[in-house]
Amino acid sequence: MDQIIIKKLTMQYDSYPVVCDVSFTIKQGEYVCIIGENGAGKSTMLKGILGLKPIKSGAISINMPKDKKAIGYMPQQTDIQRDFPASVYEVVLSGCLCNKKFISFYNKTDKQRALDSLDKLGIMNLRHKSYRNLSGGQQQRVLLARALASNPGLLALDEPLTGLDPAASLEFYSMLRKINKEQGITILMTSHDIHSAMSQSDKILHLSHKLEFFGTPEEYLKNDISKKFVR
Amino acid sequence: MSFSEIFQYDFIVRALIVGSLVSLCAALLGVTLVLKRFSMIGDGLSHVGFGALSISMALGFAPLILSTPIVILAAFLLLHINNNSKIKGDSAIAIIASVSLAAGVIVTSVTSGISVDVFSYMFGSVLAISDSDLIITVILSIVVLILYLIFYNPLFGVTFDENFSKAGGVNVSLYKMLIAFLTAVTVVIGMRIMGTMLISSLIIFPALSSMRIFSSFRSVVISSAAISLICFLAGLYLSFIWNLPAGASVVMVNFAVFCIMWVTGKITRRTA
């Protein structure tokens, strides 16, 4: 199933074009890394696709599987969050809000799903800890657990590896891979880390305001555009 | 004078009811406002409240009936300004706040002469609460408390991470409007007793105090409600026995508690 279909997407910041005429299609269950230099429009495009930023023109259509309607978004951390008094369990449970229309209380299924995703990411022992007292890597895991608790059909991650040491990034990547393979959840993430992106993902999307390349890592290596970027 | 003797006075009983309800509402919302960096909105609204109060008194309305819709409208306006990053949010709120204040002072000085009235609008008065104020306050504060409890979970979600909630399909702008609405109502019902200049401290202090020590959202919310209530009762009692202005006394008690919590927080974090 084609899950994300982008047609001629253009986005602007003030009158300055940030994303220009980008078209691509992502299938359900694919693991796609958006790479490109700083300021190439990666995060902006991701936010545009998720409806968090207005688009100038073009069409975005997202088809979600029936049983997994939510989009689990893992944003870049804000200053507000770093010092936020909340327990890990409270944060992860809030992921379940994504499936609620009118009733805003958590039921048994929600609580179980929150516990499951804590378990899956190996942070069950942190659940009573305060979010603000965790290390950067632990906080990232908590945010991923929250995204998983929403029972997502699509995980959208914005630079999830910022501030992680190499060992923690590697671990994070293998967790993502596992989630992608075992649960068939589509993953769309922006990343600086070209080498891990090449080894982990199904598709590479190279953005430099325009779409420079979209295809498998193998094809990307053969393409001229990668020569400047992959070293 | 003992605590029970105080209850002989009608105005004190009214002040106790209104003040306790306002303290609770302010404390609950305060947690969200402080964490969401919306403290300025609370402060701006209290200035708008002063203008609205002056105008409605000058026109001969019961103070809360006209001020409530004006402050609610102002809350939506301030929220809109805050959302729109292209305008400098802080300065825009400052402009609205000072213009409201100036309008209030002019209206009051033209109609009734500046003196006692302005002082009581600005710094509150336990004598100012009429029976109609009492009824409106009780109704509005119960509405605030119920709405807060019903929407506690999404309010947490939106406070912690607006973008995550929005991407997940939560109606974020609706909840932000709810926050603005609840804040406006709290400012309105609190400004007669606390004064328009002091009501915003009732919103901010309890949340800041409890965040020094408590580290889960729920414990912060519950403890700041408790702190707020205790500080109000202590402040009112002190103001009565020492013949001090009630609003200012409550603020000073809140400040003392904040200092204690701050020091305690420092010590416990060092030993932990």
Side-chain angles (χ1 to χ4, degrees), chain A residues 9 20 24 33 48 51 85 108 146 158 187 192:
Chain A
L9 176 66
C20 309
F24 60 90
C33 273
K108 266 193 181 149
R146 175 185 61 169
D158 197 355
I187 292 181
H192 273 104

Side-chain angles (χ1 to χ4, degrees), chain B residues 5-94:
Chain B
E5 281 172 69
I6 292 175
F7 290 101
Q8 293 165 359
Y9 298 92
D10 227 19
F11 73 94
I12 282 287
V13 174
R14 277 204 292 260
L16 266 176
I17 298 170
V18 169
S20 307
L21 286 168
V22 169
S23 306
L24 278 180
C25 295
L28 297 182
L29 280 164
V31 176
T32 297
L33 292 177
V34 167
L35 285 170
K36 201 133 188 55
R37 311 291 192 264
F38 276 179
S39 306
M40 271 302 283
I41 292 186
D43 204 44
L45 281 185
S46 60
H47 289 71
V48 174
F50 175 79
L53 193 59
S54 310
I55 291 168
S56 51
M57 295 297 259
L59 294 177
F61 284 98
L64 293 188
I65 290 169
L66 189 65
S67 326
T68 310
I70 293 179
V71 177
I72 290 172
L73 280 178
F76 292 148
L77 180 68
L78 293 183
L79 182 71
H80 179 75
I81 290 169
N82 208 60
N83 283 341
N84 195 337
S85 54
K86 278 180 191 164
I87 312 169
K88 289 262 172 269
D90 280 7
S91 352
I93 291 175

Side-chain angles (χ1 to χ4, degrees), chain A residues 131-148:
Chain A
Y131 180 81
R132 62 182 175 189
N133 297 336
L134 302 181
S135 72
Q138 288 171 327
Q139 290 187 337
Q140 296 293 73
R141 280 191 189 214
V142 172
L143 295 187
L144 183 59
R146 175 185 61 169
L148 277 185

